[in-house]
Amino acid sequence: MKNAPLPNIEARFRAYAAKLSTALGHTDRVEPFQAYCTGLLLPVERKSVEPMAAQLAPGQVSAKHQSLHHFVAKASWSDGAVMKAVRNYVLPKMQSQGPILAWIVDDTGFPKKGKHSVGVARQYCGQLGKQDNCQCAVSVSVATSHASLPVAYRLYVPQEWSADRARRTRAGIPEELAFQTKPEIALEQLSALSKTDTPKGVVLADAGYGNDSEFRRGVRSLSLSYVLGIQKSTKVWPPGTEPLPPPEYSGCGRPPKLPRRSLQHTPVSVWQVAQDLANRAYQTVTWREGTNKMLSSRFATVRVCEGHRYYWRSDCPPEEWLLIEWLEGESEPTRYWLSNLDAAVSLAELVDTAKLRWRIERDYQELKQEIGLGHFEGRGWRGFHHHATLCIAAYGFLVAERSSFSPSGPDIRPSFTVPQVPEGWQPRGSSPQAGAT
């Protein structure tokens, strides 16, 4: 791949923003769209409206603040249309370095102190690693071996919010939006994405999604392959076992269709399957280069059938892969996955695919630390999603820029010429000392 010098990065960004702004529906929105995305790429510590306004227009902070706030919190442009424009621009550039390999499902949390921001509730927050007051959003990213891009993003609305009409009205949650679990939101996103011309990828997700048998069934119904994390308690039928057939028809009533239950004949946990395997079943596999060394671990595979609620199903569950990771020196396996990839797939390819989920961590790290995904200070549904869409648009520009160079080339960090913040200016709510400093 050529690494020839490219035109000025500011000019390329203006061209990118101009292409995306056609999805906004009104020419008056083009300038604030470009300004907001520029602000998200600036080296400003806080990427909320007021600090960006001060950086972008130091002589007219109030006017710029009003313009950006109206654009992100009140203007009725379509998040879906802008996300589609980002996808159409960035994915071809990503594919210049390699094919689409995966559609990665995940969610991310944003800690919140108050209780009025849309969707905020006490729930698990990955950023904190515990249950706390936060918002949580579900996303799907499209990934190659070198890059990834979020292409769907939606706030999870807890049941306590969905059932509270007054809170819904204040936050502007759409009337037609019913309560959905995170796996249900993700399945809806995957369904919508599968109807576009986006190249198909293997669906990857952690155990928060893979444990849900309805989610797995839904992914299969979309004719998509998956490698999904599961917990060690997940029940499966190991090789050579299956549900007992229905009892013989006695001639009275309807013929029985459901399998028989038996205390002696039941599915077992994947933990038990792993324990029953001989030590020679585990092989060391290296999947990619880490920060300091090549990453490797011990893995084993077994062909199994899912055993969740088998006694309520008349169909025979499909056979699929159980992938087990057991680190050397550990007392028990550390991770488990179920996959419906082809029976002929190699262990190395199965591991490579499962481990590609790390790219979503890179997405969220940069979106939060570099772009300011969690910095939105409004409380409404529209503003929350508009800010996220603009963050993804700004991040998409970085992904497209990096895809123009060799993967081993320099990291792209855009640098824009902007006016200096007025001397002594400080954002609302900060202490006088902070402004003096």
Side-chain angles (χ1 to χ4, degrees):
M1 182 180 294
K2 295 187 292 184
N3 281 345
L6 297 176
N8 180 273
I9 195 167
E10 289 190 54
R12 293 198 302 280
F13 177 73
R14 284 195 297 270
Y16 170 77
K19 187 178 288 289
L20 264 57
S21 62
T22 58
L24 295 171
H26 202 289
T27 55
D28 289 349
R29 297 170 184 157
V30 175
E31 191 281 327
F33 171 79
Q34 296 181 352
Y36 202 97
C37 289
T38 300
L40 293 171
L41 291 170
L42 292 176
V44 182
E45 185 175 350
R46 186 75 185 169
K47 305 294 179 72
S48 55
V49 172
E50 191 177 21
M52 291 196 298
Q55 193 77 54
L56 293 165
Q60 301 174 305
V61 177
S62 179
K64 178 60 75 174
H65 179 278
Q66 290 180 9
S67 171
L68 295 181
H69 179 266
H70 174 82
F71 175 70
V72 73
K74 301 184 182 301
S76 59
W77 48 272
S78 166
D79 292 295
V82 175
M83 291 282 275
K84 179 181 178 182
V86 174
R87 187 178 73 235
N88 289 344
Y89 181 92
V90 180
L91 291 192
K93 297 186 180 299
M94 287 171 53
Q95 289 174 271
S96 68
Q97 291 187 339
I100 300 298
L101 299 176
W103 291 1
I104 309 175
V105 174
D106 205 359
D107 53 72
T108 189
F110 306 97
K112 290 287 180 180
K113 293 190 179 298
K115 60 180 181 180
H116 300 293
S117 295
V118 60
V120 70
R122 188 169 181 80
Q123 55 192 321
Y124 179 78
C125 179
Q127 185 172 323
L128 301 176
K130 62 178 182 179
Q131 288 238 343
D132 210 333
N133 220 41
C134 68
Q135 294 168 303
C136 192
V138 180
S139 69
V140 176
S141 287
V142 172
T144 68
S145 58
H146 299 294
S148 54
L149 175 76
V151 295
Y153 188 91
R154 206 190 95 183
L155 179 70
Y156 165 70
V157 181
Q159 203 151 14
E160 64 203 70
W161 273 81
S162 293
D164 191 329
R165 182 167 293 277
R167 293 178 90 184
R168 290 177 63 111
T169 302
R170 282 196 300 271
I173 299 175
E175 281 285 332
E176 67 277 9
L177 193 78
F179 171 74
Q180 288 180 300
T181 63
K182 292 174 188 176
E184 286 171 342
I185 293 172
L187 200 54
E188 189 175 279
Q189 292 173 329
L190 291 171
S191 178
L193 187 60
S194 67
K195 294 172 184 173
T196 70
D197 58 358
T198 305
K200 298 291 189 293
V202 180
V203 176
L204 308 180
D206 64 18
Y209 299 87
N211 279 338
D212 191 320
S213 61
E214 290 302 319
F215 178 76
R216 299 197 301 268
R217 208 164 295 141
V219 175
R220 290 197 297 268
S221 72
L222 295 172
S223 300
L224 296 171
S225 300
Y226 59 72
V227 181
L228 302 174
I230 54 173
Q231 291 178 332
K232 65 180 183 180
S233 58
T234 302
K235 297 293 181 67
V236 296
W237 293 99
T241 64
E242 61 181 8
L244 291 170
E248 291 186 11
Y249 182 44
S250 65
C252 298
R254 294 181 179 179
K257 294 182 179 179
L258 298 179
R260 285 178 291 165
R261 286 183 276 182
S262 165
L263 293 176
Q264 292 75 36
H265 191 87
T266 60
V268 300
S269 69
V270 292
W271 179 89
Q272 188 61 57
V273 174
Q275 297 294 329
D276 291 342
L277 290 176
N279 190 56
R280 64 177 179 274
Y282 291 89
Q283 302 177 40
T284 299
V285 178
T286 300
W287 62 91
R288 70 176 174 87
E289 186 174 356
T291 307
N292 301 315
K293 61 179 182 178
M294 297 300 290
L295 301 178
S296 65
S297 187
R298 295 195 316 147
F299 297 89
T301 53
V302 185
R303 296 292 282 173
V304 299
C305 296
E306 69 171 35
H308 177 69
R309 304 189 79 175
Y310 68 96
Y311 42 81
W312 292 116
R313 298 175 56 183
S314 59
D315 62 317
C316 185
E319 192 178 58
E320 53 190 339
W321 286 110
L322 168 62
L323 174 64
I324 306 162
E325 180 180 4
W326 195 331
L327 287 169
E328 191 76 50
E330 292 291 331
S331 60
E332 63 177 59
T334 49
R335 291 185 182 86
Y336 305 84
W337 296 264
L338 281 177
S339 173
N340 65 343
L341 285 174
D342 190 87
V345 69
S346 68
L347 175 61
E349 185 179 346
L350 195 53
V351 171
D352 275 346
T353 305
K355 292 296 185 178
L356 188 59
R357 206 189 75 81
W358 76 274
R359 292 222 61 94
I360 195 73
E361 306 298 336
R362 171 74 180 265
D363 281 347
Y364 281 139
Q365 181 182 15
E366 291 205 90
L367 280 163
K368 289 184 174 183
Q369 296 181 6
E370 304 289 337
I371 308 296
L373 179 62
H375 292 180
F376 180 65
E377 295 176 351
R379 294 176 174 176
W381 172 273
R382 177 175 287 173
F384 178 91
H385 289 91
H386 277 2
H387 175 76
T389 296
L390 295 167
C391 286
I392 291 169
Y395 181 62
F397 176 69
L398 295 184
V399 173
E401 287 290 296
R402 290 165 182 161
S403 298
S404 301
F405 292 89
S406 166
S408 59
D411 193 13
I412 301 296
R413 298 287 168 181
S415 176
F416 296 103
T417 303
V418 293
Q420 292 297 309
V421 174
E423 186 175 350
W425 177 85
Q426 61 187 64
R428 289 173 296 177
S430 61
S431 66
Q433 269 191 330
T437 303

